[in-house]
């Protein structure tokens, strides 16, 4: 299973963090720091895998954002690249030509998308359309209730 | 409780919310579009005059999330950002305090953003729960998100969480149910899992595929947390694989995998699913293009990979299942399109499965060939996984992997450290008796040029391989010396004693080795391990060095004075560590029997008698005493070391302990070799002190008989005096004073450690029974503490059937020796003693629980007690 997924910018700003196993706040900070240190200092055109402690780190850069996941020994690194790519596709479909700013300003949406795609460190839904459909429907639920209650959203 | 309260509170605030809603709607355009600079935003927000007086204090509409993000992003410095966030946090806190329901969602969302920036947000934990308990989907969505981000497993709020999740699992909207499942599957603690497993199981059986897939992964989480709940999900798994929906299919395969990995019974049970899994996989490969699941021309690679992984588990060491999947594996291996990463991902998984199950030999050849193709691939990722998988298979298919040796060795030169590391590991795995010379050449070259992060691992790999397959002793010694010269500062501490042992045992190589090492010493004295070995050898074989006999090399001509110059140079050099100085001093001392320049040596030794380095001083003082008082013993004491027997295959770690090279502060047997070396009684003494078999100590305390050695034991004999627990062996001349130390003004050394370190204590005193503990660590292993219990009885009746039992935490190991008696005599007329040995590898404080049973005046008595934390390891380091 995937242990964690981090999104951070080239400048070392965290954009999204998802932990699939219980980790203390302190440990999280340490992992985030280590990941940024390792990934951001990698020269370009290297392979996308690193070993860190007992985890396989798979990372990939999309524009200014790094997607970085920690995998257990049994997991398939090459497939993880596909999973990351799928997530980017989903973001792209949802936001329409997604960029880092979309994820900064709508970070909660990025989490909602992730939660419809991955759960407990495993892929939840392998169909692009299904994930998109669920999100749309859930969003309308939010909007209609919103209007119904006529109260300010966040 | 919480639920009803918040709902009531919510109703109360409802009206208020509606009126503020109006106002915030009025000012929304301004907030959203007009404000860019920080100051304006905050001024407006603080502009309380804007609001009617009635809720000026209670309800200043907090800025929106996006607005906050925009504002924070304008901060030019970290300090500015911190200030903004502090301000906003203060506002959020006060809003939370006022139990404001309208903006709770917004505030928590903002808090989550600040949390991501690394600011503390734990004060929002309870608010998340309140949001979850709310009726609104928006609130729930943010509430669950916040719970997943802010709560960790050990929060007490989990009890409240359990309730909320339970309610939501039975909600009428699938998306609310989905949120609850997702949260439970992400951060559910074992208690939560226990409480909610039933609901999850129910949802796993619904026909709604949206809920079913989430329930399946939730079940995976439950099983990971509480494996004994696994059985519960067994009935629900029955129809999972007949599902058409890929989401459900994929998560079901994940669930089955989890169950099979955890329980052999489940594994056996699910073996019958192999044909079904094969069919699903076949359909995936054969089916035409389906846009929904297509990835670069491959149908649902995610599902394919998970099925292959489950097949691997099911087929492992099972002939029938392996047979049943043989064909499909061959089909996947040959038919998968490999121009894209996704095809290679499937191929990679297929190869792993083929190598793990009992597959036909033809298929295995196919798999290894695929990895061979991977190794030549342009894509670095593919090369990396090829190396990784070859490393996994090298044990079982050694020869097949050998065929790719040259390609693998080439990967050592790759620029990518990840690939380099894998290539290095694999190269070491490929070393054998036939290729050792060639492989070692490559690896030593790699060691020379590689990044510092590799050197330690590479060096120990070379040591291990050399020890296993060295074609000759000379080659072995040369190789180790090569490592020490090129990567000396990176080698593990145990390499020094290992090399010394190797050299000692290669008698015919002594002259050659000492020559080479001496030359190395002249070249470079910065590589400490090398210098240590070189010093040791120079001391030990100084006579061979000066005599210049060496058949294999051009002998060098050196004089005694030159050798001593070099060694003295080590003593004063800033590059030398204290340990190295110790080696050098001992070497000089040894040379006093091998060289003629005894006076010079005496002088050096006496100088260091006042060294500020206590360790060095002690050596010097002891050696000085040897010159002054026991000169007649000196030649015998400093005789050449006998051949050491390697007592265990796993020698390194133990040798570290006994030689103490790694920790200069440990005052231990390191001193013993030169001083107490020749003694046929050494073993008796050790038996007396330790009692247990300490096999390794014999490598440093050779059992070589010497005429003069016996007296020296008095020095050690005192050890037994310090502890009255172990009765002194009759053969030991205990009464004689410890004379070697009598000229020593510094504090007494190791013989007093134990007694000085831990005072005796009373562990139990009740009903006339008193148990005292006395301590010692008079043992070659500093991790072992010996505790003697003394049970005495003040009552007028004796205690019979006395049994003392003790329990210690798992990090310790405890050994209770048999007691002196099982009757505690009355009126303090005697004691029962019993020895406890405690192994404390982690040097923690010892907490011991004791249980006492005895019969007193005809009635059985039983009692439990716990001792205070005993500090067993403290002073030793400082002495």
């Amino acid at each position: 299973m995937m242990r964690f997924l981090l999104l951070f910018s080239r400048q070392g700003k965290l954009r999204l963090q998802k932990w699939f196993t219980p980790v203390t706040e302190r440990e999280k900070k340490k992992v985030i720091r280590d990941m940024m240190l390792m990934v951001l200092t990698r020269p370009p055109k290297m392979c996308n895998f690193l070993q860190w402690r007992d985890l396989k780190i798979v990372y990939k850069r999309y524009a200014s954002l790094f997607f970085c996941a920690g995998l257990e020994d049994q997991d398939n690194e090459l497939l993880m690249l596909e999973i990351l790519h799928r997530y980017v596709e989903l973001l792209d479909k949802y936001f329409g030509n997604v960029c880092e700013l979309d994820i900064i300003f709508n970070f909660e949406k990025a989490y909602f998308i992730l939660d419809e795609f991955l759960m407990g460190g495993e892929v939840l839904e392998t169909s692009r359309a299904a994930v998109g459909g669920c999100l749309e429907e859930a969003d309308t639920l939010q909007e209609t209730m919103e209007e119904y209650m006529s109260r300010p959203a966040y | 409780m919480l639920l009803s309260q918040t709902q009531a509170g919510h109703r109360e605030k409802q009206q208020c919310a509606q009126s503020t809603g109006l106002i915030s709607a009025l000012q929304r355009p301004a907030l959203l579009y007009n404000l860019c600079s920080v100051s304006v935003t905050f001024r407006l927000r603080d502009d309380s005059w804007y609001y009617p007086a009635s809720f000026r204090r209670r309800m200043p509409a907090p800025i929106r999330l996006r607005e906050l993000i925009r504002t924070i992003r304008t901060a030019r410095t970290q300090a500015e950002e911190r200030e903004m966030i502090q301000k906003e946090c203060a506002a959020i806190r006060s809003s939370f305090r006022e139990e404001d329901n309208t903006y709770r969602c917004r505030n928590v969302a903002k808090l989550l953003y600040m949390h991501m920036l690394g600011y503390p947000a734990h004060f929002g934990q309870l608010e998340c729960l309140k949001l979850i308990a709310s009726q609104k989907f928006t609130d729930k969505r943010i509430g669950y998100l916040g719970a997943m981000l802010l709560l960790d497993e050990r929060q007490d709020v989990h009890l409240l969480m359990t309730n909320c999740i339970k309610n939501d699992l039975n909600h009428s909207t699938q998306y609310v149910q989905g949120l609850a499942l997702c949260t439970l599957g992400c951060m559910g603690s074992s208690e939560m899992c226990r409480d909610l497993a039933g609901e999850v199981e129910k949802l796993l059986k619904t026909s709604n595929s949206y809920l079913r897939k989430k329930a399946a992964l939730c079940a995976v989480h439950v099983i990971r947390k509480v494996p004994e709940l696994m059985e519960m999900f067994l009935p629900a798994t029955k129809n999972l694989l007949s599902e058409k929906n890929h989401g459900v299919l994929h998560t079901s395969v994940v669930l089955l995998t989890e169950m099979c990995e955890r329980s052999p019974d489940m594994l056996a049970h699910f073996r019958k699913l192999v044909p079904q899994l094969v069919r699903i996989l076949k359909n995936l490969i054969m089916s035409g293009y389906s846009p929904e699941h297509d990835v670069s021309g491959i149908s649902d690679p995610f599902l394919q990979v998970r099925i292959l992984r489950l097949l691997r588990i099911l087929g492992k060491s099972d002939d029938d299942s392996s047979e049943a999947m043989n064909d499909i594996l061959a089909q996947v291996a040959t038919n998968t399109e490999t121009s894209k990463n996704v095809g290679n991902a499937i191929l990679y998984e297929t190869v792993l499965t083929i190598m793990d199950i009992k597959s036909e030999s033809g298929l295995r050849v196919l798999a290894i060939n695929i990895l061979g193709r991977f190794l030549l691939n342009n894509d670095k990722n593919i090369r990396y996984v090829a190396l990784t998988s070859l490393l996994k298979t090298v044990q079982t298919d050694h020869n097949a992997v050998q065929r790719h040796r040259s390609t693998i060795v080439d990967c050592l030169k790759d620029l990518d450290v990840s690939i380099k590391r894998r290539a290095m590991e694999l190269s070491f795995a490929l070393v054998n008796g036939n290729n050792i010379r060639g492989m070692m050449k490559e690896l030593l070259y790699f060691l020379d040029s590689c990044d510092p992060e590799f050197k330690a691992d590479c060096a120990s790999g070379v040591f291990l391989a050399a020890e296993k397959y060295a074609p000759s002793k000379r080659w072995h010694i040369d190789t180790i010396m090569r490592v020490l010269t090129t990567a000396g500062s990176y080698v593990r501490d145990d390499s020094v004693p290992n090399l010394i042992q190797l050299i000692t045992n290669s008698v015919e190589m002594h002259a050659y080795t000492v020559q080479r090492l001496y030359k190395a010493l002249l070249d470079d004295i910065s590589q400490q391990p090398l210098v240590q070995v070189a010093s040791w050898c120079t001391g030990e074989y100084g006579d061979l060095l000066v005599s210049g006999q060496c058949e294999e090399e051009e002998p060098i001509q050196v004089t005694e004075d030159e050798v001593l110059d070099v060694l003295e140079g080590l003593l004063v050099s800033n590059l030398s560590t204290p340990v190295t100085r110790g080696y050098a001093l001992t070497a000089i001392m040894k040379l006093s029997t091998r060289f003629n320049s005894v006076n010079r040596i005496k002088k050096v030794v006496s100088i260091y008698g006042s060294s500020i380095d206590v360790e060095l001083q002690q050596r010097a003082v002891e050696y000085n005493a040897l010159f002054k008082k026991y000169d007649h013993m000196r030649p015998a004491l400093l005789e050449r070391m006998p051949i050491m027997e390697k007592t265990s295959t796993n020698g390194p770690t133990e040798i570290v302990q006994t030689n103490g090279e790694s920790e200069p502060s440990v005052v231990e047997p390191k001193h013993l070799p030169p001083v107490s070396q020749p003694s046929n009684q050494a073993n008796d003494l050790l038996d007396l002190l330790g009692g247990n078999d300490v096999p390794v100590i014999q490598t440093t305390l050779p059992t070589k008989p010497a005429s003069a050695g016996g007296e020296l034991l008095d020095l050690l004999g005192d050890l037994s005096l310090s502890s009255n627990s172990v009765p002194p062996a009759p053969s030991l001349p205990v009464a004689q004073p410890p004379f070697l130390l009598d000229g020593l003004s510094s504090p007494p050394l190791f013989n007093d450690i134990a007694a000085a370190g831990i005072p005796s204590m009373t562990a139990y005193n009740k009903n006339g029974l008193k148990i005292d503990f006395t301590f010692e660590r008079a043992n070659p292993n500093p991790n072992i503490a010996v505790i003697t219990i003394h049970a005495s009885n003040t009552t007028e009746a004796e205690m019979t059937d006395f049994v003392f039992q003790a329990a210690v935490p798992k990090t310790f190991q405890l050994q209770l020796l048999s007691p002196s008696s099982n009757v505690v005599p009355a009126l303090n007329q005697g004691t029962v003693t019993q020895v406890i040995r405690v192994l404390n590898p982690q040097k923690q404080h010892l907490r011991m629980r004791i249980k006492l049973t005895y019969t007193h005046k005809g009635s059985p008595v039983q009692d439990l007690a716990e001792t205070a934390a005993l500090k067993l390891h403290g002073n030793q380091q400082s002495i």
Side-chain angles (χ1 to χ4, degrees), chain A residues 47-49 51 105 108 116 122 125-126 139 142 146, chain B residues 66 138 141 210 213 292 300 306 349 381 416 418 422:
Chain A
C47 76
N48 296 81
F49 312 130
Q51 185 77 35
F105 279 96
E108 82 286 359
E116 288 298 334
E122 308 284 358
E125 178 56 68
T126 63
D139 278 352
Q142 188 174 330
E146 215 60 54
Chain B
R66 322 284 174 224
T138 311
R141 234 181 172 188
Y210 179 78
K213 67 186 181 193
E292 196 180 353
D300 207 340
R306 282 317 293 226
E349 198 72 30
N381 291 337
D416 190 330
S418 294
R422 289 282 175 259

mmCIF file of all heavy atoms in Angstrom, chain A residues 47-49 51 105 108 116 122 125-126 139 142 146, chain B residues 66 138 141 210 213 292 300 306 349 381 416 418 422:
data_model
loop_
_atom_site.group_PDB
_atom_site.id
_atom_site.type_symbol
_atom_site.label_atom_id
_atom_site.label_comp_id
_atom_site.label_asym_id
_atom_site.label_seq_id
_atom_site.Cartn_x
_atom_site.Cartn_y
_atom_site.Cartn_z
ATOM 1 N N CYS A 47 16.193 8.622 -12.692
ATOM 2 C CA CYS A 47 15.010 7.792 -12.589
ATOM 3 C C CYS A 47 14.109 8.333 -11.476
ATOM 4 O O CYS A 47 14.539 9.136 -10.650
ATOM 5 C CB CYS A 47 15.359 6.330 -12.360
ATOM 6 S SG CYS A 47 15.883 5.914 -10.720
ATOM 7 N N ASN A 48 12.863 7.898 -11.465
ATOM 8 C CA ASN A 48 11.888 8.503 -10.567
ATOM 9 C C ASN A 48 11.787 7.799 -9.221
ATOM 10 O O ASN A 48 10.825 7.999 -8.493
ATOM 11 C CB ASN A 48 10.504 8.480 -11.220
ATOM 12 C CG ASN A 48 10.471 9.320 -12.470
ATOM 13 O OD1 ASN A 48 10.896 8.887 -13.517
ATOM 14 N ND2 ASN A 48 10.007 10.545 -12.345
ATOM 15 N N PHE A 49 12.766 6.951 -8.919
ATOM 16 C CA PHE A 49 12.649 6.153 -7.705
ATOM 17 C C PHE A 49 13.815 6.403 -6.765
ATOM 18 O O PHE A 49 14.935 6.647 -7.193
ATOM 19 C CB PHE A 49 12.612 4.661 -8.055
ATOM 20 C CG PHE A 49 11.657 4.343 -9.160
ATOM 21 C CD1 PHE A 49 12.056 3.577 -10.241
ATOM 22 C CD2 PHE A 49 10.363 4.825 -9.127
ATOM 23 C CE1 PHE A 49 11.174 3.290 -11.262
ATOM 24 C CE2 PHE A 49 9.475 4.539 -10.139
ATOM 25 C CZ PHE A 49 9.878 3.775 -11.219
ATOM 26 N N GLN A 51 15.262 5.123 -2.648
ATOM 27 C CA GLN A 51 15.026 4.303 -1.467
ATOM 28 C C GLN A 51 15.162 5.211 -0.257
ATOM 29 O O GLN A 51 16.089 5.987 -0.155
ATOM 30 C CB GLN A 51 16.077 3.182 -1.414
ATOM 31 C CG GLN A 51 15.870 2.199 -0.296
ATOM 32 C CD GLN A 51 14.761 1.207 -0.592
ATOM 33 O OE1 GLN A 51 14.581 0.812 -1.729
ATOM 34 N NE2 GLN A 51 14.024 0.808 0.436
ATOM 35 N N PHE A 105 -5.487 27.222 -4.375
ATOM 36 C CA PHE A 105 -6.715 27.910 -3.973
ATOM 37 C C PHE A 105 -7.872 26.956 -3.745
ATOM 38 O O PHE A 105 -8.836 27.307 -3.082
ATOM 39 C CB PHE A 105 -7.091 28.969 -5.015
ATOM 40 C CG PHE A 105 -6.320 30.227 -4.829
ATOM 41 C CD1 PHE A 105 -5.169 30.468 -5.559
ATOM 42 C CD2 PHE A 105 -6.725 31.165 -3.893
ATOM 43 C CE1 PHE A 105 -4.439 31.627 -5.362
ATOM 44 C CE2 PHE A 105 -6.003 32.325 -3.698
ATOM 45 C CZ PHE A 105 -4.853 32.558 -4.434
ATOM 46 N N GLU A 108 -8.949 21.932 -0.995
ATOM 47 C CA GLU A 108 -9.926 20.968 -0.475
ATOM 48 C C GLU A 108 -10.517 20.140 -1.612
ATOM 49 O O GLU A 108 -10.767 18.954 -1.464
ATOM 50 C CB GLU A 108 -10.982 21.666 0.372
ATOM 51 C CG GLU A 108 -12.144 22.333 -0.342
ATOM 52 C CD GLU A 108 -11.766 23.636 -1.040
ATOM 53 O OE1 GLU A 108 -10.595 24.048 -0.964
ATOM 54 O OE2 GLU A 108 -12.632 24.255 -1.679
ATOM 55 N N GLU A 116 -11.729 10.274 -3.862
ATOM 56 C CA GLU A 116 -12.558 9.445 -4.734
ATOM 57 C C GLU A 116 -11.711 8.511 -5.586
ATOM 58 O O GLU A 116 -12.225 7.602 -6.211
ATOM 59 C CB GLU A 116 -13.423 10.319 -5.658
ATOM 60 C CG GLU A 116 -14.563 11.034 -4.961
ATOM 61 C CD GLU A 116 -15.577 10.081 -4.324
ATOM 62 O OE1 GLU A 116 -15.709 8.931 -4.797
ATOM 63 O OE2 GLU A 116 -16.224 10.498 -3.344
ATOM 64 N N GLU A 122 -4.694 2.563 -1.438
ATOM 65 C CA GLU A 122 -4.923 1.702 -2.608
ATOM 66 C C GLU A 122 -5.820 2.453 -3.594
ATOM 67 O O GLU A 122 -6.555 3.364 -3.207
ATOM 68 C CB GLU A 122 -5.646 0.418 -2.195
ATOM 69 C CG GLU A 122 -5.014 -0.331 -1.048
ATOM 70 C CD GLU A 122 -3.761 -1.105 -1.446
ATOM 71 O OE1 GLU A 122 -3.419 -1.077 -2.649
ATOM 72 O OE2 GLU A 122 -3.141 -1.713 -0.567
ATOM 73 N N GLU A 125 -10.840 3.514 -7.518
ATOM 74 C CA GLU A 125 -11.621 3.496 -8.743
ATOM 75 C C GLU A 125 -10.678 3.587 -9.933
ATOM 76 O O GLU A 125 -9.852 4.488 -9.985
ATOM 77 C CB GLU A 125 -12.605 4.675 -8.738
ATOM 78 C CG GLU A 125 -13.433 4.800 -9.979
ATOM 79 C CD GLU A 125 -14.217 3.532 -10.284
ATOM 80 O OE1 GLU A 125 -15.143 3.227 -9.508
ATOM 81 O OE2 GLU A 125 -13.910 2.856 -11.275
ATOM 82 N N THR A 126 -10.792 2.635 -10.848
ATOM 83 C CA THR A 126 -9.847 2.630 -11.960
ATOM 84 C C THR A 126 -10.405 3.330 -13.201
ATOM 85 O O THR A 126 -9.711 3.432 -14.191
ATOM 86 C CB THR A 126 -9.461 1.187 -12.340
ATOM 87 O OG1 THR A 126 -10.639 0.517 -12.794
ATOM 88 C CG2 THR A 126 -8.885 0.454 -11.165
ATOM 89 N N ASP A 139 -20.580 17.398 -5.671
ATOM 90 C CA ASP A 139 -20.518 18.864 -5.695
ATOM 91 C C ASP A 139 -21.908 19.479 -5.812
ATOM 92 O O ASP A 139 -22.205 20.468 -5.138
ATOM 93 C CB ASP A 139 -19.637 19.347 -6.849
ATOM 94 C CG ASP A 139 -18.171 19.300 -6.485
ATOM 95 O OD1 ASP A 139 -17.891 19.037 -5.294
ATOM 96 O OD2 ASP A 139 -17.327 19.527 -7.365
ATOM 97 N N GLN A 142 -23.532 19.539 -2.639
ATOM 98 C CA GLN A 142 -23.039 20.648 -1.820
ATOM 99 C C GLN A 142 -23.695 21.953 -2.249
ATOM 100 O O GLN A 142 -24.185 22.712 -1.432
ATOM 101 C CB GLN A 142 -21.521 20.732 -1.965
ATOM 102 C CG GLN A 142 -20.878 21.704 -1.029
ATOM 103 C CD GLN A 142 -19.366 21.626 -1.113
ATOM 104 O OE1 GLN A 142 -18.812 20.572 -1.396
ATOM 105 N NE2 GLN A 142 -18.710 22.726 -0.856
ATOM 106 N N GLU A 146 -26.344 24.270 -0.375
ATOM 107 C CA GLU A 146 -25.859 25.619 -0.156
ATOM 108 C C GLU A 146 -26.948 26.641 -0.433
ATOM 109 O O GLU A 146 -27.255 27.495 0.384
ATOM 110 C CB GLU A 146 -24.684 25.860 -1.111
ATOM 111 C CG GLU A 146 -23.633 26.712 -0.536
ATOM 112 C CD GLU A 146 -23.095 26.038 0.703
ATOM 113 O OE1 GLU A 146 -22.673 24.870 0.636
ATOM 114 O OE2 GLU A 146 -23.148 26.691 1.746
ATOM 115 N N ARG B 66 -10.609 31.632 0.223
ATOM 116 C CA ARG B 66 -9.778 32.044 -0.926
ATOM 117 C C ARG B 66 -9.133 33.392 -0.655
ATOM 118 O O ARG B 66 -8.011 33.643 -1.080
ATOM 119 C CB ARG B 66 -10.596 32.144 -2.210
ATOM 120 C CG ARG B 66 -11.657 31.106 -2.407
ATOM 121 C CD ARG B 66 -11.131 29.759 -2.831
ATOM 122 N NE ARG B 66 -12.227 28.806 -2.848
ATOM 123 C CZ ARG B 66 -12.186 27.572 -2.375
ATOM 124 N NH1 ARG B 66 -11.073 27.095 -1.860
ATOM 125 N NH2 ARG B 66 -13.243 26.791 -2.409
ATOM 126 N N THR B 138 -21.829 20.144 2.964
ATOM 127 C CA THR B 138 -20.619 20.964 2.937
ATOM 128 C C THR B 138 -19.869 20.860 4.251
ATOM 129 O O THR B 138 -18.653 20.667 4.279
ATOM 130 C CB THR B 138 -20.990 22.436 2.682
ATOM 131 O OG1 THR B 138 -21.871 22.481 1.581
ATOM 132 C CG2 THR B 138 -19.768 23.253 2.404
ATOM 133 N N ARG B 141 -18.343 17.439 4.605
ATOM 134 C CA ARG B 141 -17.203 17.251 3.715
ATOM 135 C C ARG B 141 -15.938 17.842 4.314
ATOM 136 O O ARG B 141 -14.894 17.206 4.384
ATOM 137 C CB ARG B 141 -17.494 17.922 2.367
ATOM 138 C CG ARG B 141 -17.338 16.999 1.199
ATOM 139 C CD ARG B 141 -17.625 17.729 -0.089
ATOM 140 N NE ARG B 141 -17.278 16.875 -1.220
ATOM 141 C CZ ARG B 141 -17.280 17.293 -2.475
ATOM 142 N NH1 ARG B 141 -17.627 18.530 -2.755
ATOM 143 N NH2 ARG B 141 -16.941 16.485 -3.443
ATOM 144 N N TYR B 210 -20.738 2.047 -5.639
ATOM 145 C CA TYR B 210 -20.000 3.172 -5.062
ATOM 146 C C TYR B 210 -19.660 2.869 -3.603
ATOM 147 O O TYR B 210 -18.545 3.116 -3.135
ATOM 148 C CB TYR B 210 -20.841 4.454 -5.157
ATOM 149 C CG TYR B 210 -20.169 5.669 -4.558
ATOM 150 C CD1 TYR B 210 -19.170 6.336 -5.257
ATOM 151 C CD2 TYR B 210 -20.527 6.145 -3.303
ATOM 152 C CE1 TYR B 210 -18.542 7.438 -4.707
ATOM 153 C CE2 TYR B 210 -19.906 7.247 -2.751
ATOM 154 C CZ TYR B 210 -18.913 7.898 -3.460
ATOM 155 O OH TYR B 210 -18.291 8.988 -2.921
ATOM 156 N N LYS B 213 -17.196 -0.570 -3.200
ATOM 157 C CA LYS B 213 -15.747 -0.461 -3.370
ATOM 158 C C LYS B 213 -15.121 0.220 -2.158
ATOM 159 O O LYS B 213 -14.057 -0.167 -1.688
ATOM 160 C CB LYS B 213 -15.411 0.268 -4.674
ATOM 161 C CG LYS B 213 -15.808 1.721 -4.714
ATOM 162 C CD LYS B 213 -15.575 2.358 -6.084
ATOM 163 C CE LYS B 213 -15.979 3.823 -6.030
ATOM 164 N NZ LYS B 213 -16.092 4.447 -7.336
ATOM 165 N N GLU B 292 -13.291 3.499 -21.197
ATOM 166 C CA GLU B 292 -13.387 3.834 -19.785
ATOM 167 C C GLU B 292 -12.133 3.424 -19.008
ATOM 168 O O GLU B 292 -11.695 4.115 -18.108
ATOM 169 C CB GLU B 292 -14.626 3.163 -19.184
ATOM 170 C CG GLU B 292 -14.988 3.789 -17.856
ATOM 171 C CD GLU B 292 -16.203 3.143 -17.229
ATOM 172 O OE1 GLU B 292 -16.841 2.291 -17.878
ATOM 173 O OE2 GLU B 292 -16.507 3.495 -16.084
ATOM 174 N N ASP B 300 -7.260 -1.388 -18.296
ATOM 175 C CA ASP B 300 -7.174 -1.343 -16.831
ATOM 176 C C ASP B 300 -5.902 -1.953 -16.238
ATOM 177 O O ASP B 300 -5.925 -3.014 -15.620
ATOM 178 C CB ASP B 300 -8.399 -2.012 -16.208
ATOM 179 C CG ASP B 300 -8.673 -1.414 -14.829
ATOM 180 O OD1 ASP B 300 -7.746 -0.826 -14.253
ATOM 181 O OD2 ASP B 300 -9.811 -1.517 -14.353
ATOM 182 N N ARG B 306 -2.952 -5.758 -9.904
ATOM 183 C CA ARG B 306 -3.408 -6.310 -8.625
ATOM 184 C C ARG B 306 -3.753 -7.783 -8.761
ATOM 185 O O ARG B 306 -3.524 -8.562 -7.844
ATOM 186 C CB ARG B 306 -4.629 -5.539 -8.104
ATOM 187 C CG ARG B 306 -4.346 -4.191 -7.459
ATOM 188 C CD ARG B 306 -3.171 -4.144 -6.544
ATOM 189 N NE ARG B 306 -3.276 -4.905 -5.328
ATOM 190 C CZ ARG B 306 -2.943 -4.442 -4.121
ATOM 191 N NH1 ARG B 306 -2.500 -3.202 -3.968
ATOM 192 N NH2 ARG B 306 -3.018 -5.214 -3.085
ATOM 193 N N GLU B 349 5.358 -6.704 -13.038
ATOM 194 C CA GLU B 349 4.576 -7.468 -12.071
ATOM 195 C C GLU B 349 4.499 -8.944 -12.490
ATOM 196 O O GLU B 349 4.585 -9.845 -11.648
ATOM 197 C CB GLU B 349 3.171 -6.851 -11.962
ATOM 198 C CG GLU B 349 2.409 -7.244 -10.713
ATOM 199 C CD GLU B 349 2.952 -6.583 -9.456
ATOM 200 O OE1 GLU B 349 3.480 -5.466 -9.544
ATOM 201 O OE2 GLU B 349 2.849 -7.209 -8.386
ATOM 202 N N ASN B 381 13.961 4.334 -15.356
ATOM 203 C CA ASN B 381 13.036 3.687 -14.432
ATOM 204 C C ASN B 381 12.989 2.187 -14.670
ATOM 205 O O ASN B 381 12.967 1.397 -13.737
ATOM 206 C CB ASN B 381 11.629 4.260 -14.605
ATOM 207 C CG ASN B 381 11.558 5.684 -14.114
ATOM 208 O OD1 ASN B 381 12.371 6.097 -13.292
ATOM 209 N ND2 ASN B 381 10.594 6.430 -14.609
ATOM 210 N N ASP B 416 22.964 8.012 -12.084
ATOM 211 C CA ASP B 416 21.868 8.074 -11.128
ATOM 212 C C ASP B 416 22.200 7.272 -9.872
ATOM 213 O O ASP B 416 22.497 6.082 -9.945
ATOM 214 C CB ASP B 416 20.619 7.498 -11.814
ATOM 215 C CG ASP B 416 19.374 7.737 -11.008
ATOM 216 O OD1 ASP B 416 19.477 7.804 -9.768
ATOM 217 O OD2 ASP B 416 18.304 7.849 -11.603
ATOM 218 N N SER B 418 20.307 6.190 -7.505
ATOM 219 C CA SER B 418 19.381 5.083 -7.233
ATOM 220 C C SER B 418 19.812 3.840 -7.995
ATOM 221 O O SER B 418 19.848 2.741 -7.443
ATOM 222 C CB SER B 418 17.967 5.458 -7.655
ATOM 223 O OG SER B 418 17.473 6.491 -6.860
ATOM 224 N N ARG B 422 21.424 0.125 -6.491
ATOM 225 C CA ARG B 422 20.900 -1.198 -6.817
ATOM 226 C C ARG B 422 21.956 -2.042 -7.524
ATOM 227 O O ARG B 422 22.109 -3.231 -7.240
ATOM 228 C CB ARG B 422 19.673 -1.064 -7.715
ATOM 229 C CG ARG B 422 18.456 -0.533 -7.026
ATOM 230 C CD ARG B 422 17.790 -1.616 -6.204
ATOM 231 N NE ARG B 422 16.679 -1.089 -5.447
ATOM 232 C CZ ARG B 422 16.710 -0.779 -4.157
ATOM 233 N NH1 ARG B 422 17.802 -0.992 -3.469
ATOM 234 N NH2 ARG B 422 15.668 -0.295 -3.547
#
